[in-house]
Amino acid sequence: MIGAKDIKTKICLGEIRSVDTVKDHFKRIKKTDPKVKAFLRLSEENALNQAEQIDNKDRKNAKCGLLEGVPIAIKDNIMVKGEGMTSASKYLEHYISTYDATVIEKLKEAGAIFIGRTNMDEFAMGGSTESSAYQKTANPWNIEYIPGGSSGGSAAAVSAGMVPFALGSDTGGSIRQPAGFCGIVGYKPSYGLISRYGVCALASSFDQVGTFSKTVVDSALLTSVIAGKDYRDPVCEPKEGIDYVRDIDNPNILKTLRVGIPKQLLDYKTDAEITKYFNDATNKLKLEGVEIIEIDIPAYRYVPALYKVIMCAEVSANIATFDGIRYGYRSPNGRSLNDEYAKSRAESLGYEVKKRILFGTYVLGAKNYHRCYHQAQKVRTLLINQITAAYKKCDFIFTPATLQMPVKFGDILPEECDLFLIAANLAGLPGITVPCSFTSSCMPMGVHFMGSRFSDAKLFQVANAFEKISEFDTDKYPIL
Amino acid sequence: MLKEELEVTAFMARLDIKEEEKEKYLADINVMFDYIEILQEPGVASLKPTTHVTELRNVWRDDVVKPRAKDTIDQMLNGSPAREGTFYKVQKVIEAQ
């Protein structure tokens, strides 16, 4: 199987047809997805029509889009005009999007082909994709295990070779954690680099759209297409038209690089094999000339608490929009307007979503606001200050992507498992998971680089350089 | 959190909770109260709260109506569980005295 960048080049050169590429991917999906269950819905007919239009272009005169004819999967919390978008919730079971998300507009302009919509935790609330109201997605490397989440469907689809790349969203590691569990690249941009217009909101001060792919270069390519200022997402900053692929092969990048490893890594129980392969990866970086520096960020210990308090508060505000009036599920049992709101929400939302709404409503309550939410925002400043100070000593912070391997369905991951990923959301920083090794259980583990704000281009260079020295076989796919 | 606090919070959140569900919610939410306690530890009185990480202040744009497809209103209303003409249909808001 070839990557997105090569597919696009071959289509533009007329060496392969988009229709054949799309058919190949659907063949793979039909073989593997009954076991993996990555997709909630497929759009084969539409995809083939789109591909045919691309193949019918006059190649000599037609402009070739950045993703001309390349298949892509979309997480089911991103709006595509005229299509359903459930966010894996019963509340949005029959919802039809009335407009395109900005990232979808950009993908259409670039010539990408939409293959289908991927499974996720309900409203992206979870880290295993088990809270989807529709189905459980399996880890393609061992279908008894979770793929991670919340973007578990996108991660599993790319990992199993059903699509060359996919979109996800990352509020607290929701791209980078499943990427680690599924042995692929997962990238979350700096806060404000990619528009969230048309994306179902979870916690707005953390949410970002990001990418999944087998290789770093394909994530860089996808980012080049979807990044940029958007007047409809006011936190989107003017970083327009950057080509993240052009300078990605920087042969000198590792020679002058300073990489920080937080000493707090030792405070948490880490899987023995993850520790071993992470140390091997650190030694490989050293051999390339990277200076490894120990950094001290004591506020890491507050990350799980900070995330839970602030995220739930923002969830309670964002999910308030689901009231059963303008769209979505409306209970037939409501006796008054308030009763109708309360029953519509109670009957259509899952337990995890309701628990977070309740906790969020509590921490925002007039009596509790100061001690809970306001205090958390101050501790968030403390964490950001300590991370900013650490970046005076190093260029990137390097950790395992997760501290534990994926668990079987129904088992609980320890909450510190993806603590070092969540720090990136709290501080608005870019982060990328790159696969590193296979453990003795034949499942992959990944490492994570976190950069300073808007260091995304350099982050891709570093991740790309690491991919080359890691010896991880990106051409290997799970046998399904 | 006590049962009465849960009931008030559920009303504030417009969530109907059944009597038999209350125990589980209370158990799970009370575990989350540890997070609030942990966050009281560090001395942060002098720090400003972070509401978002951008340097942006007010983001203004011109108040201009952008043209939309003619059927947009119809499509939006069609997504509603109940419509009447060009209105969303809802329960009676004001009760008779």
Side-chain angles (χ1 to χ4, degrees):
Chain A
M1 268 171 275
I2 56 174
K5 186 166 168 275
D6 292 336
I7 293 174
K8 175 248 168 182
T9 307
K10 283 175 187 287
I11 287 174
C12 289
L13 290 171
E15 289 176 12
I16 56 172
R17 296 191 317 145
S18 179
V19 167
D20 296 331
T21 306
V22 170
K23 279 184 183 163
D24 285 349
H25 283 93
F26 271 105
K27 208 167 138 192
R28 177 83 183 156
I29 290 169
K30 280 168 194 162
K31 181 165 180 268
T32 57
D33 205 40
K35 289 177 198 154
V36 177
K37 297 190 170 70
F39 283 94
L40 287 171
R41 296 180 306 286
L42 289 162
S43 45
E44 188 170 2
E45 204 184 320
N46 268 348
L48 285 169
N49 286 340
Q50 273 182 25
E52 207 168 296
Q53 281 175 24
I54 281 176
D55 288 336
N56 287 340
K57 277 189 191 171
D58 173 6
R59 280 279 150 237
K60 276 181 192 143
N61 301 315
K63 203 179 123 220
C64 194
L66 272 176
L67 302 178
E68 189 87 344
V70 187
I72 187 168
I74 309 288
K75 186 176 180 179
D76 205 28
N77 62 350
I78 302 175
M79 310 227 307
V80 180
K81 189 175 178 179
E83 279 191 19
M85 181 200 70
T86 66
S87 281
S89 175
K90 288 286 175 196
Y91 180 83
L92 293 175
E93 190 172 7
H94 303 294
Y95 178 74
I96 303 291
S97 303
T98 51
Y99 58 91
D100 280 330
T102 300
V103 289
I104 297 298
E105 272 180 4
K106 287 174 184 266
L107 286 173
K108 282 182 175 173
E109 221 169 279
I113 311 282
F114 301 110
I115 292 290
R117 310 305 297 263
T118 52
N119 196 24
M120 54 187 279
D121 282 299
E122 184 177 7
F123 289 117
M125 297 186 204
S128 68
T129 313
E130 288 169 293
S131 82
S132 164
Y134 298 99
Q135 63 196 35
K136 285 184 176 45
T137 298
N139 190 312
W141 294 101
N142 185 337
I143 57 172
E144 289 177 15
Y145 287 78
I146 59 162
S150 66
S151 313
S154 286
V158 172
S159 165
M162 298 184 221
V163 276
F165 53 21
L167 284 190
S169 63
D170 191 318
T171 303
S174 278
I175 289 175
R176 295 159 293 145
Q177 183 251 43
F181 283 170
C182 292
I184 56 171
V185 174
Y187 159 73
K188 176 198 97 73
S190 296
Y191 187 79
L193 193 81
I194 295 174
S195 168
R196 292 97 40 92
Y197 177 72
V199 182
C200 206
L202 197 180
S204 305
S205 79
F206 304 144
D207 291 347
Q208 280 289 281
V209 174
T211 65
F212 289 99
S213 55
K214 286 287 282 182
T215 58
V216 175
V217 69
D218 278 352
S219 271
L221 174 66
L222 186 48
T223 305
S224 303
V225 171
I226 60 175
K229 187 160 177 61
D230 180 16
Y231 74 94
R232 294 165 298 191
D233 179 357
V235 304
C236 228
E237 303 213 17
K239 305 273 172 196
E240 203 67 63
I242 298 173
D243 183 345
Y244 293 95
V245 177
R246 198 181 51 212
D247 299 321
I248 200 167
D249 284 313
N250 179 344
N252 299 317
I253 187 80
L254 296 181
K255 290 184 183 127
T256 54
L257 199 72
R258 297 168 309 158
V259 161
I261 297 179
K263 69 183 217 187
Q264 281 72 23
L265 254 181
L266 299 173
D267 296 346
Y268 300 97
K269 189 172 167 253
T270 306
D271 179 276
E273 283 193 84
I274 290 179
T275 303
K276 176 189 176 301
Y277 289 117
F278 176 70
N279 290 339
D280 287 353
T282 309
N283 286 332
K284 281 176 187 164
L285 286 171
K286 265 191 207 164
L287 285 173
E288 296 295 317
V290 172
E291 189 186 349
I292 303 291
I293 295 159
E294 185 187 74
I295 53 168
D296 186 17
I297 303 177
Y300 269 132
R301 84 178 235 93
Y302 303 118
V303 165
L306 265 179
Y307 178 67
K308 283 280 160 49
V309 170
I310 299 175
M311 176 268 294
C312 287
E314 295 187 15
V315 159
S316 74
N318 278 328
I319 304 292
T321 191
F322 302 129
D323 55 9
I325 300 296
R326 290 154 300 153
Y327 53 85
Y329 174 82
R330 185 184 290 185
S331 168
N333 307 316
R335 295 184 308 275
S336 66
L337 189 65
N338 264 334
D339 195 44
E340 196 168 80
Y341 291 146
K343 287 205 166 77
S344 299
R345 290 154 67 79
E347 289 166 18
S348 64
L349 300 176
Y351 180 79
E352 180 64 27
V353 177
K354 289 190 270 196
K355 186 181 81 185
R356 293 189 190 198
I357 292 172
L358 287 168
F359 187 65
T361 306
Y362 178 87
V363 302
L364 286 179
K367 271 198 295 184
N368 315 316
Y369 177 89
H370 203 79
R371 184 176 143 76
C372 302
Y373 183 60
H374 194 69
Q375 176 73 7
Q377 288 179 314
K378 286 184 166 186
V379 182
R380 187 178 182 184
T381 307
L382 179 77
L383 174 74
I384 292 171
N385 289 350
Q386 289 183 7
I387 292 176
T388 308
Y391 279 125
K392 291 197 175 120
K393 294 185 193 155
C394 66
D395 306 304
F396 291 90
I397 294 175
F398 186 52
T399 59
T402 58
L403 303 185
Q404 298 294 327
M405 295 298 286
V407 292
K408 286 189 174 179
F409 290 110
D411 290 347
I412 309 280
L413 281 169
E415 75 171 4
E416 66 271 17
C417 179
D418 44 12
L419 169 154
F420 293 96
L421 308 183
I422 298 175
N425 301 86
L426 288 162
L429 306 175
I432 192 165
T433 293
V434 187
C436 173
S437 297
F438 283 94
T439 64
S440 56
S441 59
C442 298
M443 292 190 79
M445 59 85 55
V447 293
H448 182 252
F449 293 93
M450 180 171 85
S452 54
R453 193 141 181 266
F454 292 126
S455 67
D456 300 63
K458 199 172 173 191
L459 181 68
F460 280 128
Q461 292 180 350
V462 172
N464 184 56
F466 175 79
E467 184 178 76
K468 289 195 166 65
I469 62 165
S470 77
E471 293 163 22
F472 185 89
D473 183 3
T474 54
D475 288 329
K476 189 173 167 180
Y477 287 87
I479 299 159
L480 286 157
Chain B
M1 185 184 260
L2 301 168
K3 194 176 163 199
E4 295 71 35
E5 278 179 298
L6 175 72
E7 286 163 353
V8 171
T9 307
F11 175 73
M12 302 288 282
R14 299 296 187 273
L15 266 180
D16 191 49
I17 295 182
K18 292 193 177 72
E19 197 57 38
E20 62 269 25
E21 297 172 326
K22 286 178 187 166
E23 208 171 310
K24 182 166 169 53
Y25 276 115
L26 277 173
D28 287 349
I29 291 171
N30 277 325
V31 169
M32 297 176 85
F33 274 58
D34 288 348
Y35 297 128
I36 299 168
E37 293 313 314
I38 290 167
L39 295 177
Q40 310 308 315
E41 273 178 21
V44 290
S46 62
L47 295 181
K48 284 187 178 163
T50 298
T51 52
H52 61 84
V53 297
T54 71
E55 303 291 314
L56 301 167
R57 289 291 171 259
N58 287 329
V59 180
W60 301 103
R61 60 182 161 87
D62 293 335
D63 186 15
V64 179
V65 178
K66 305 232 172 189
R68 292 274 175 194
K70 273 187 185 152
D71 59 355
T72 304
I73 294 172
D74 228 30
Q75 279 180 15
M76 302 289 282
L77 285 160
N78 281 341
S80 163
R83 69 176 280 191
E84 196 170 298
T86 51
F87 296 95
Y88 294 115
K89 196 171 172 185
V90 299
Q91 292 256 2
K92 189 159 71 174
V93 179
I94 303 166
E95 298 296 330
Q97 293 297 310

